[in-house]
Amino acid sequence: MKKGKNTETETGRREHDGFLKYVYSVPENTRTLLHIAEKVDKKLADMLSEVDLETLEEIPEPYNEVSERGEADLAFTVKGVGGEDIFFGILLEHKSSPSDDILSQLYRYTYEVMVDKKDKEFAWMPTKAIVVYNGNVKWDPLAKFRKKPRARFHGKILPFECAFVNLAEIDDRDCIADDNAEAAIGTLTLKYAFDPAKFEKMLPEIEQMLKLIDPSRSTTFVGKIELYLGEYISREALEKLKMAFKSIGQRLGFVSAGDERRAAVKAAEEKLHKKYKAEIAARDAENRKLKAQLEAILASKA
């Protein structure tokens, strides 16, 4: 699996965190991602068979540390399939490259985030951690854990369920066929973050899916995609994709974030050009005035 730039913002968050939150903090979008992923991941399908994803709700920011300032990507509560009064916790984490401490991270999130604060006696929730990652090779920290000598004292199981979903295994056709265009485009963007050529080949299908999204949200969505891809691909490839999205935006009637930036730069240049023209015109007028005064003085002395 290739490693991306993984550039971080001043707050310590990477652009992929903002992209994931923008798309998948919407429960409907996370449901779509999980439904698409479980088609090719039996472990995930087994995990999700116990919960009713229609009851999925994001844990709000005041409830815990899951926010742009937090560490965990996204956290949800969900009811069991039997309708009983029990909530499970679902952690959705995104990785662009293998992380040696991922199980320790998930362990911490399980006991710091997945907590029912209304239950003083048994506050922790049964947690299902789902890690989605970009890559063409399998990444299985669970297999590594099971080889640890200490693992036998835990029955070779963790105190939470866990599945690692390789986005490369998701079928493009499942994304294209899904009615939830925003979630499907988000999944394709995550899948091809390291392969701009393949992402570019998907643009005709993405354009058709963008027609199903409100134009006002499409503008922000495309801007988020540009920021996200900017972490992983070359400047040349990113500019090529930006121009492609510009063409799509023009055909669909929305203005992308790239269009807005280009328009802002053009407006600033035009403003500066007008300023320079005004300064030059004022200088020329002053020169003509001085010339006329000098000619008048010389004429009076003749």
Side-chain angles (χ1 to χ4, degrees):
M1 188 187 311
K2 298 178 183 177
K3 289 189 177 182
K5 301 175 196 173
N6 284 338
T7 52
E8 296 191 358
T9 64
E10 292 180 359
T11 59
R13 303 297 289 170
R14 294 181 295 275
E15 295 295 352
H16 78 232
D17 298 313
F19 178 75
L20 193 83
K21 285 180 183 294
Y22 178 79
V23 180
Y24 296 107
S25 60
V26 179
E28 181 183 353
N29 291 348
T30 290
R31 276 196 295 272
T32 297
L33 170 64
L34 297 180
H35 283 319
I36 290 174
E38 68 180 344
K39 292 180 181 180
V40 295
D41 193 303
K42 186 178 184 302
K43 167 67 174 175
L44 179 63
D46 290 343
M47 277 177 50
L48 296 178
S49 66
E50 297 178 321
V51 300
D52 179 5
L53 287 178
E54 293 302 315
T55 65
L56 196 71
E57 291 186 17
E58 186 189 8
I59 297 179
E61 181 178 333
Y63 193 88
N64 58 61
E65 294 300 316
V66 181
S67 69
E68 286 294 330
R69 298 181 299 279
E71 291 184 60
D73 281 346
L74 286 168
F76 302 87
T77 60
V78 65
K79 284 189 175 183
V81 290
E84 65 271 28
D85 189 21
I86 179 173
F87 281 95
F88 291 83
I90 288 185
L91 282 168
L92 182 62
E93 185 77 9
H94 169 244
K95 293 293 180 183
S96 58
S97 59
S99 174
D100 292 337
D101 65 342
I102 182 61
L103 294 181
S104 294
Q105 288 180 31
L106 295 175
Y107 180 90
R108 185 169 68 254
Y109 301 161
T110 298
Y111 290 104
E112 291 180 0
V113 176
M114 310 314 297
V115 176
D116 183 354
K117 293 186 176 181
K118 294 178 290 185
D119 190 334
K120 300 299 182 184
E121 188 176 5
F122 302 109
W124 65 92
M125 290 185 282
T127 297
K128 299 174 182 293
I130 302 164
V131 180
V132 295
Y133 65 94
N134 316 65
N136 297 316
V137 296
K138 282 282 189 181
W139 177 42
D140 190 2
L142 295 174
K144 185 177 180 181
F145 164 74
R146 287 189 288 268
K147 292 178 182 179
K148 293 279 187 181
R150 71 173 69 176
R152 69 177 183 270
F153 296 107
H154 294 282
K156 294 189 176 181
I157 60 173
L158 295 163
F160 52 88
E161 287 188 277
C162 188
F164 287 80
V165 178
N166 186 355
L167 291 164
E169 296 178 349
I170 288 177
D171 195 320
D172 294 344
R173 292 169 296 183
D174 289 332
C175 296
I176 295 168
D178 200 277
D179 292 333
N180 186 339
E182 185 170 282
I185 293 172
T187 303
L188 290 170
T189 303
L190 291 169
K191 178 180 178 180
Y192 291 122
F194 293 109
D195 196 337
K198 285 188 177 179
F199 186 77
E200 188 177 359
K201 288 182 179 179
M202 296 299 302
L203 287 180
E205 286 80 7
I206 289 175
E207 180 174 352
Q208 293 303 311
M209 288 189 281
L210 280 169
K211 291 179 180 179
L212 305 176
I213 302 174
D214 182 83
S216 62
R217 186 164 173 87
S218 294
T219 298
T220 304
F221 187 30
V222 170
K224 292 286 186 180
I225 292 174
E226 290 179 2
L227 284 172
Y228 171 72
L229 293 177
E231 279 198 81
Y232 305 114
I233 63 179
S234 69
R235 185 183 299 274
E236 294 76 14
L238 181 61
E239 287 302 319
K240 189 175 181 181
L241 286 173
K242 283 183 178 180
M243 293 306 296
F245 271 119
K246 180 180 179 181
S247 297
I248 290 173
Q250 289 171 341
R251 288 194 293 271
L252 299 185
F254 66 84
V255 181
S256 74
D259 292 332
E260 291 179 346
R261 287 194 294 272
R262 284 184 284 270
V265 170
K266 184 177 180 180
E269 290 175 345
E270 289 177 350
K271 183 178 179 181
L272 194 60
H273 183 62
K274 288 180 180 178
K275 178 184 176 184
Y276 287 156
K277 283 185 68 176
E279 289 176 351
I280 291 171
R283 186 189 64 193
D284 290 345
E286 182 64 22
N287 287 340
R288 287 194 296 271
K289 180 180 177 182
L290 292 174
K291 182 179 179 182
Q293 291 175 347
L294 180 60
E295 289 176 346
I297 292 172
L298 293 175
S300 66
K301 294 182 176 179

PDB file of all heavy atoms in Angstrom, residues 150-176:
ATOM      1  N   ARG A 150       0.344 -12.651  24.542  1.00  0.00           N
ATOM      2  CA  ARG A 150      -0.684 -12.169  25.464  1.00  0.00           C
ATOM      3  C   ARG A 150      -2.092 -12.438  24.943  1.00  0.00           C
ATOM      4  O   ARG A 150      -3.050 -12.449  25.709  1.00  0.00           O
ATOM      5  CB  ARG A 150      -0.517 -10.680  25.718  1.00  0.00           C
ATOM      6  CG  ARG A 150      -0.887  -9.803  24.539  1.00  0.00           C
ATOM      7  CD  ARG A 150      -0.876  -8.328  24.876  1.00  0.00           C
ATOM      8  NE  ARG A 150       0.464  -7.837  25.120  1.00  0.00           N
ATOM      9  CZ  ARG A 150       0.755  -6.562  25.363  1.00  0.00           C
ATOM     10  NH1 ARG A 150      -0.221  -5.675  25.400  1.00  0.00           N
ATOM     11  NH2 ARG A 150       1.993  -6.172  25.574  1.00  0.00           N
ATOM     12  N   ALA A 151      -2.218 -12.636  23.623  1.00  0.00           N
ATOM     13  CA  ALA A 151      -3.545 -12.785  23.040  1.00  0.00           C
ATOM     14  C   ALA A 151      -4.281 -13.997  23.594  1.00  0.00           C
ATOM     15  O   ALA A 151      -5.507 -13.996  23.712  1.00  0.00           O
ATOM     16  CB  ALA A 151      -3.443 -12.891  21.519  1.00  0.00           C
ATOM     17  N   ARG A 152      -3.529 -15.061  23.946  1.00  0.00           N
ATOM     18  CA  ARG A 152      -4.211 -16.260  24.427  1.00  0.00           C
ATOM     19  C   ARG A 152      -4.922 -16.018  25.754  1.00  0.00           C
ATOM     20  O   ARG A 152      -5.881 -16.721  26.093  1.00  0.00           O
ATOM     21  CB  ARG A 152      -3.219 -17.415  24.565  1.00  0.00           C
ATOM     22  CG  ARG A 152      -2.185 -17.284  25.669  1.00  0.00           C
ATOM     23  CD  ARG A 152      -1.330 -18.561  25.718  1.00  0.00           C
ATOM     24  NE  ARG A 152      -0.373 -18.546  26.798  1.00  0.00           N
ATOM     25  CZ  ARG A 152       0.866 -18.066  26.685  1.00  0.00           C
ATOM     26  NH1 ARG A 152       1.271 -17.584  25.514  1.00  0.00           N
ATOM     27  NH2 ARG A 152       1.692 -18.078  27.711  1.00  0.00           N
ATOM     28  N   PHE A 153      -4.498 -15.011  26.492  1.00  0.00           N
ATOM     29  CA  PHE A 153      -5.160 -14.703  27.760  1.00  0.00           C
ATOM     30  C   PHE A 153      -6.450 -13.905  27.546  1.00  0.00           C
ATOM     31  O   PHE A 153      -7.218 -13.710  28.475  1.00  0.00           O
ATOM     32  CB  PHE A 153      -4.209 -13.928  28.678  1.00  0.00           C
ATOM     33  CG  PHE A 153      -2.995 -14.730  29.072  1.00  0.00           C
ATOM     34  CD1 PHE A 153      -1.752 -14.437  28.531  1.00  0.00           C
ATOM     35  CD2 PHE A 153      -3.101 -15.791  29.952  1.00  0.00           C
ATOM     36  CE1 PHE A 153      -0.633 -15.166  28.867  1.00  0.00           C
ATOM     37  CE2 PHE A 153      -1.983 -16.541  30.294  1.00  0.00           C
ATOM     38  CZ  PHE A 153      -0.747 -16.236  29.753  1.00  0.00           C
ATOM     39  N   HIS A 154      -6.655 -13.447  26.323  1.00  0.00           N
ATOM     40  CA  HIS A 154      -7.893 -12.750  25.985  1.00  0.00           C
ATOM     41  C   HIS A 154      -8.780 -13.629  25.112  1.00  0.00           C
ATOM     42  O   HIS A 154      -9.754 -13.147  24.542  1.00  0.00           O
ATOM     43  CB  HIS A 154      -7.592 -11.456  25.215  1.00  0.00           C
ATOM     44  CG  HIS A 154      -6.861 -10.429  26.011  1.00  0.00           C
ATOM     45  ND1 HIS A 154      -7.468  -9.631  26.943  1.00  0.00           N
ATOM     46  CD2 HIS A 154      -5.545 -10.072  26.007  1.00  0.00           C
ATOM     47  CE1 HIS A 154      -6.572  -8.818  27.494  1.00  0.00           C
ATOM     48  NE2 HIS A 154      -5.403  -9.072  26.943  1.00  0.00           N
ATOM     49  N   GLY A 155      -8.437 -14.908  25.031  1.00  0.00           N
ATOM     50  CA  GLY A 155      -9.194 -15.772  24.133  1.00  0.00           C
ATOM     51  C   GLY A 155      -8.983 -15.397  22.684  1.00  0.00           C
ATOM     52  O   GLY A 155      -9.788 -15.722  21.818  1.00  0.00           O
ATOM     53  N   LYS A 156      -7.879 -14.690  22.413  1.00  0.00           N
ATOM     54  CA  LYS A 156      -7.527 -14.215  21.070  1.00  0.00           C
ATOM     55  C   LYS A 156      -8.588 -13.283  20.483  1.00  0.00           C
ATOM     56  O   LYS A 156      -8.724 -13.177  19.268  1.00  0.00           O
ATOM     57  CB  LYS A 156      -7.257 -15.389  20.118  1.00  0.00           C
ATOM     58  CG  LYS A 156      -6.022 -16.198  20.500  1.00  0.00           C
ATOM     59  CD  LYS A 156      -5.655 -17.199  19.440  1.00  0.00           C
ATOM     60  CE  LYS A 156      -4.357 -17.921  19.822  1.00  0.00           C
ATOM     61  NZ  LYS A 156      -3.951 -18.894  18.797  1.00  0.00           N
ATOM     62  N   ILE A 157      -9.352 -12.656  21.353  1.00  0.00           N
ATOM     63  CA  ILE A 157     -10.321 -11.664  20.883  1.00  0.00           C
ATOM     64  C   ILE A 157     -10.095 -10.350  21.601  1.00  0.00           C
ATOM     65  O   ILE A 157      -9.591 -10.315  22.733  1.00  0.00           O
ATOM     66  CB  ILE A 157     -11.774 -12.134  21.096  1.00  0.00           C
ATOM     67  CG1 ILE A 157     -12.047 -12.376  22.587  1.00  0.00           C
ATOM     68  CG2 ILE A 157     -12.083 -13.365  20.258  1.00  0.00           C
ATOM     69  CD1 ILE A 157     -13.492 -12.663  22.887  1.00  0.00           C
ATOM     70  N   LEU A 158     -10.477  -9.256  20.959  1.00  0.00           N
ATOM     71  CA  LEU A 158     -10.354  -7.922  21.535  1.00  0.00           C
ATOM     72  C   LEU A 158     -11.616  -7.587  22.322  1.00  0.00           C
ATOM     73  O   LEU A 158     -12.654  -8.237  22.152  1.00  0.00           O
ATOM     74  CB  LEU A 158     -10.145  -6.905  20.415  1.00  0.00           C
ATOM     75  CG  LEU A 158      -8.844  -7.050  19.620  1.00  0.00           C
ATOM     76  CD1 LEU A 158      -8.936  -6.282  18.311  1.00  0.00           C
ATOM     77  CD2 LEU A 158      -7.663  -6.556  20.443  1.00  0.00           C
ATOM     78  N   PRO A 159     -11.566  -6.543  23.153  1.00  0.00           N
ATOM     79  CA  PRO A 159     -12.777  -6.147  23.898  1.00  0.00           C
ATOM     80  C   PRO A 159     -13.772  -5.373  23.032  1.00  0.00           C
ATOM     81  O   PRO A 159     -14.653  -4.694  23.535  1.00  0.00           O
ATOM     82  CB  PRO A 159     -12.210  -5.262  25.017  1.00  0.00           C
ATOM     83  CG  PRO A 159     -10.952  -4.701  24.454  1.00  0.00           C
ATOM     84  CD  PRO A 159     -10.376  -5.793  23.589  1.00  0.00           C
ATOM     85  N   PHE A 160     -13.611  -5.449  21.725  1.00  0.00           N
ATOM     86  CA  PHE A 160     -14.542  -4.840  20.778  1.00  0.00           C
ATOM     87  C   PHE A 160     -14.437  -5.629  19.481  1.00  0.00           C
ATOM     88  O   PHE A 160     -13.415  -6.275  19.217  1.00  0.00           O
ATOM     89  CB  PHE A 160     -14.206  -3.366  20.517  1.00  0.00           C
ATOM     90  CG  PHE A 160     -12.773  -3.124  20.127  1.00  0.00           C
ATOM     91  CD1 PHE A 160     -12.378  -3.193  18.797  1.00  0.00           C
ATOM     92  CD2 PHE A 160     -11.809  -2.828  21.082  1.00  0.00           C
ATOM     93  CE1 PHE A 160     -11.056  -2.978  18.423  1.00  0.00           C
ATOM     94  CE2 PHE A 160     -10.492  -2.606  20.721  1.00  0.00           C
ATOM     95  CZ  PHE A 160     -10.111  -2.688  19.393  1.00  0.00           C
ATOM     96  N   GLU A 161     -15.499  -5.617  18.691  1.00  0.00           N
ATOM     97  CA  GLU A 161     -15.446  -6.250  17.384  1.00  0.00           C
ATOM     98  C   GLU A 161     -14.739  -5.316  16.408  1.00  0.00           C
ATOM     99  O   GLU A 161     -14.805  -4.096  16.541  1.00  0.00           O
ATOM    100  CB  GLU A 161     -16.851  -6.550  16.876  1.00  0.00           C
ATOM    101  CG  GLU A 161     -17.532  -7.694  17.577  1.00  0.00           C
ATOM    102  CD  GLU A 161     -18.831  -8.045  16.892  1.00  0.00           C
ATOM    103  OE1 GLU A 161     -19.832  -7.375  17.187  1.00  0.00           O
ATOM    104  OE2 GLU A 161     -18.843  -8.986  16.061  1.00  0.00           O
ATOM    105  N   CYS A 162     -14.108  -5.901  15.411  1.00  0.00           N
ATOM    106  CA  CYS A 162     -13.332  -5.052  14.506  1.00  0.00           C
ATOM    107  C   CYS A 162     -13.280  -5.663  13.115  1.00  0.00           C
ATOM    108  O   CYS A 162     -13.143  -6.874  12.966  1.00  0.00           O
ATOM    109  CB  CYS A 162     -11.910  -4.901  15.055  1.00  0.00           C
ATOM    110  SG  CYS A 162     -10.912  -3.695  14.178  1.00  0.00           S
ATOM    111  N   ALA A 163     -13.431  -4.822  12.113  1.00  0.00           N
ATOM    112  CA  ALA A 163     -13.301  -5.252  10.717  1.00  0.00           C
ATOM    113  C   ALA A 163     -12.459  -4.233   9.973  1.00  0.00           C
ATOM    114  O   ALA A 163     -12.604  -3.023  10.180  1.00  0.00           O
ATOM    115  CB  ALA A 163     -14.675  -5.382  10.066  1.00  0.00           C
ATOM    116  N   PHE A 164     -11.575  -4.734   9.103  1.00  0.00           N
ATOM    117  CA  PHE A 164     -10.741  -3.871   8.278  1.00  0.00           C
ATOM    118  C   PHE A 164     -11.195  -4.028   6.826  1.00  0.00           C
ATOM    119  O   PHE A 164     -11.105  -5.117   6.250  1.00  0.00           O
ATOM    120  CB  PHE A 164      -9.264  -4.232   8.425  1.00  0.00           C
ATOM    121  CG  PHE A 164      -8.696  -3.811   9.745  1.00  0.00           C
ATOM    122  CD1 PHE A 164      -8.919  -4.571  10.886  1.00  0.00           C
ATOM    123  CD2 PHE A 164      -7.971  -2.636   9.862  1.00  0.00           C
ATOM    124  CE1 PHE A 164      -8.408  -4.178  12.111  1.00  0.00           C
ATOM    125  CE2 PHE A 164      -7.465  -2.228  11.086  1.00  0.00           C
ATOM    126  CZ  PHE A 164      -7.691  -3.000  12.217  1.00  0.00           C
ATOM    127  N   VAL A 165     -11.714  -2.950   6.265  1.00  0.00           N
ATOM    128  CA  VAL A 165     -12.313  -2.987   4.932  1.00  0.00           C
ATOM    129  C   VAL A 165     -11.360  -2.375   3.920  1.00  0.00           C
ATOM    130  O   VAL A 165     -11.022  -1.184   4.008  1.00  0.00           O
ATOM    131  CB  VAL A 165     -13.655  -2.217   4.912  1.00  0.00           C
ATOM    132  CG1 VAL A 165     -14.238  -2.224   3.514  1.00  0.00           C
ATOM    133  CG2 VAL A 165     -14.631  -2.826   5.924  1.00  0.00           C
ATOM    134  N   ASN A 166     -10.920  -3.187   2.971  1.00  0.00           N
ATOM    135  CA  ASN A 166     -10.044  -2.707   1.903  1.00  0.00           C
ATOM    136  C   ASN A 166     -10.911  -2.106   0.803  1.00  0.00           C
ATOM    137  O   ASN A 166     -11.631  -2.818   0.096  1.00  0.00           O
ATOM    138  CB  ASN A 166      -9.199  -3.850   1.363  1.00  0.00           C
ATOM    139  CG  ASN A 166      -8.166  -3.386   0.351  1.00  0.00           C
ATOM    140  OD1 ASN A 166      -8.135  -2.206  -0.018  1.00  0.00           O
ATOM    141  ND2 ASN A 166      -7.328  -4.292  -0.098  1.00  0.00           N
ATOM    142  N   LEU A 167     -10.848  -0.800   0.643  1.00  0.00           N
ATOM    143  CA  LEU A 167     -11.689  -0.119  -0.344  1.00  0.00           C
ATOM    144  C   LEU A 167     -11.406  -0.578  -1.766  1.00  0.00           C
ATOM    145  O   LEU A 167     -12.268  -0.475  -2.646  1.00  0.00           O
ATOM    146  CB  LEU A 167     -11.492   1.391  -0.233  1.00  0.00           C
ATOM    147  CG  LEU A 167     -12.048   2.023   1.053  1.00  0.00           C
ATOM    148  CD1 LEU A 167     -11.459   3.412   1.261  1.00  0.00           C
ATOM    149  CD2 LEU A 167     -13.557   2.099   1.016  1.00  0.00           C
ATOM    150  N   ALA A 168     -10.205  -1.100  -2.004  1.00  0.00           N
ATOM    151  CA  ALA A 168      -9.856  -1.567  -3.347  1.00  0.00           C
ATOM    152  C   ALA A 168     -10.734  -2.738  -3.773  1.00  0.00           C
ATOM    153  O   ALA A 168     -10.883  -3.000  -4.972  1.00  0.00           O
ATOM    154  CB  ALA A 168      -8.384  -1.967  -3.400  1.00  0.00           C
ATOM    155  N   GLU A 169     -11.324  -3.455  -2.810  1.00  0.00           N
ATOM    156  CA  GLU A 169     -12.137  -4.624  -3.128  1.00  0.00           C
ATOM    157  C   GLU A 169     -13.583  -4.258  -3.453  1.00  0.00           C
ATOM    158  O   GLU A 169     -14.345  -5.091  -3.935  1.00  0.00           O
ATOM    159  CB  GLU A 169     -12.089  -5.610  -1.964  1.00  0.00           C
ATOM    160  CG  GLU A 169     -10.693  -6.174  -1.704  1.00  0.00           C
ATOM    161  CD  GLU A 169     -10.662  -7.118  -0.520  1.00  0.00           C
ATOM    162  OE1 GLU A 169     -11.671  -7.178   0.218  1.00  0.00           O
ATOM    163  OE2 GLU A 169      -9.632  -7.796  -0.338  1.00  0.00           O
ATOM    164  N   ILE A 170     -13.972  -3.020  -3.161  1.00  0.00           N
ATOM    165  CA  ILE A 170     -15.346  -2.603  -3.438  1.00  0.00           C
ATOM    166  C   ILE A 170     -15.564  -2.520  -4.941  1.00  0.00           C
ATOM    167  O   ILE A 170     -14.727  -2.001  -5.689  1.00  0.00           O
ATOM    168  CB  ILE A 170     -15.635  -1.255  -2.758  1.00  0.00           C
ATOM    169  CG1 ILE A 170     -15.749  -1.468  -1.244  1.00  0.00           C
ATOM    170  CG2 ILE A 170     -16.900  -0.615  -3.300  1.00  0.00           C
ATOM    171  CD1 ILE A 170     -15.955  -0.196  -0.452  1.00  0.00           C
ATOM    172  N   ASP A 171     -16.687  -3.017  -5.395  1.00  0.00           N
ATOM    173  CA  ASP A 171     -17.002  -3.055  -6.828  1.00  0.00           C
ATOM    174  C   ASP A 171     -17.556  -1.695  -7.263  1.00  0.00           C
ATOM    175  O   ASP A 171     -18.521  -1.191  -6.673  1.00  0.00           O
ATOM    176  CB  ASP A 171     -18.041  -4.147  -7.091  1.00  0.00           C
ATOM    177  CG  ASP A 171     -18.161  -4.492  -8.576  1.00  0.00           C
ATOM    178  OD1 ASP A 171     -18.119  -3.554  -9.406  1.00  0.00           O
ATOM    179  OD2 ASP A 171     -18.299  -5.675  -8.896  1.00  0.00           O
ATOM    180  N   ASP A 172     -16.937  -1.119  -8.287  1.00  0.00           N
ATOM    181  CA  ASP A 172     -17.408   0.173  -8.811  1.00  0.00           C
ATOM    182  C   ASP A 172     -18.883   0.114  -9.208  1.00  0.00           C
ATOM    183  O   ASP A 172     -19.626   1.085  -9.032  1.00  0.00           O
ATOM    184  CB  ASP A 172     -16.587   0.581 -10.043  1.00  0.00           C
ATOM    185  CG  ASP A 172     -15.133   0.879  -9.705  1.00  0.00           C
ATOM    186  OD1 ASP A 172     -14.834   1.073  -8.504  1.00  0.00           O
ATOM    187  OD2 ASP A 172     -14.315   0.917 -10.630  1.00  0.00           O
ATOM    188  N   ARG A 173     -19.299  -1.026  -9.722  1.00  0.00           N
ATOM    189  CA  ARG A 173     -20.685  -1.156 -10.184  1.00  0.00           C
ATOM    190  C   ARG A 173     -21.676  -1.011  -9.037  1.00  0.00           C
ATOM    191  O   ARG A 173     -22.780  -0.486  -9.219  1.00  0.00           O
ATOM    192  CB  ARG A 173     -20.869  -2.497 -10.900  1.00  0.00           C
ATOM    193  CG  ARG A 173     -20.120  -2.591 -12.230  1.00  0.00           C
ATOM    194  CD  ARG A 173     -20.124  -4.007 -12.759  1.00  0.00           C
ATOM    195  NE  ARG A 173     -19.398  -4.911 -11.868  1.00  0.00           N
ATOM    196  CZ  ARG A 173     -19.197  -6.207 -12.125  1.00  0.00           C
ATOM    197  NH1 ARG A 173     -19.654  -6.727 -13.261  1.00  0.00           N
ATOM    198  NH2 ARG A 173     -18.537  -6.967 -11.273  1.00  0.00           N
ATOM    199  N   ASP A 174     -21.279  -1.473  -7.839  1.00  0.00           N
ATOM    200  CA  ASP A 174     -22.163  -1.320  -6.681  1.00  0.00           C
ATOM    201  C   ASP A 174     -22.324   0.148  -6.316  1.00  0.00           C
ATOM    202  O   ASP A 174     -23.399   0.567  -5.873  1.00  0.00           O
ATOM    203  CB  ASP A 174     -21.605  -2.097  -5.485  1.00  0.00           C
ATOM    204  CG  ASP A 174     -21.724  -3.603  -5.668  1.00  0.00           C
ATOM    205  OD1 ASP A 174     -22.650  -4.030  -6.378  1.00  0.00           O
ATOM    206  OD2 ASP A 174     -20.890  -4.333  -5.114  1.00  0.00           O
ATOM    207  N   CYS A 175     -21.258   0.913  -6.490  1.00  0.00           N
ATOM    208  CA  CYS A 175     -21.329   2.352  -6.208  1.00  0.00           C
ATOM    209  C   CYS A 175     -22.202   3.058  -7.243  1.00  0.00           C
ATOM    210  O   CYS A 175     -23.085   3.846  -6.892  1.00  0.00           O
ATOM    211  CB  CYS A 175     -19.930   2.969  -6.209  1.00  0.00           C
ATOM    212  SG  CYS A 175     -18.830   2.349  -4.911  1.00  0.00           S
ATOM    213  N   ILE A 176     -21.944   2.781  -8.503  1.00  0.00           N
ATOM    214  CA  ILE A 176     -22.665   3.453  -9.585  1.00  0.00           C
ATOM    215  C   ILE A 176     -24.157   3.155  -9.522  1.00  0.00           C
ATOM    216  O   ILE A 176     -24.990   4.016  -9.809  1.00  0.00           O
ATOM    217  CB  ILE A 176     -22.082   3.035 -10.955  1.00  0.00           C
ATOM    218  CG1 ILE A 176     -20.629   3.529 -11.076  1.00  0.00           C
ATOM    219  CG2 ILE A 176     -22.923   3.563 -12.106  1.00  0.00           C
ATOM    220  CD1 ILE A 176     -19.875   2.935 -12.252  1.00  0.00           C
TER     221      ILE A 176
END
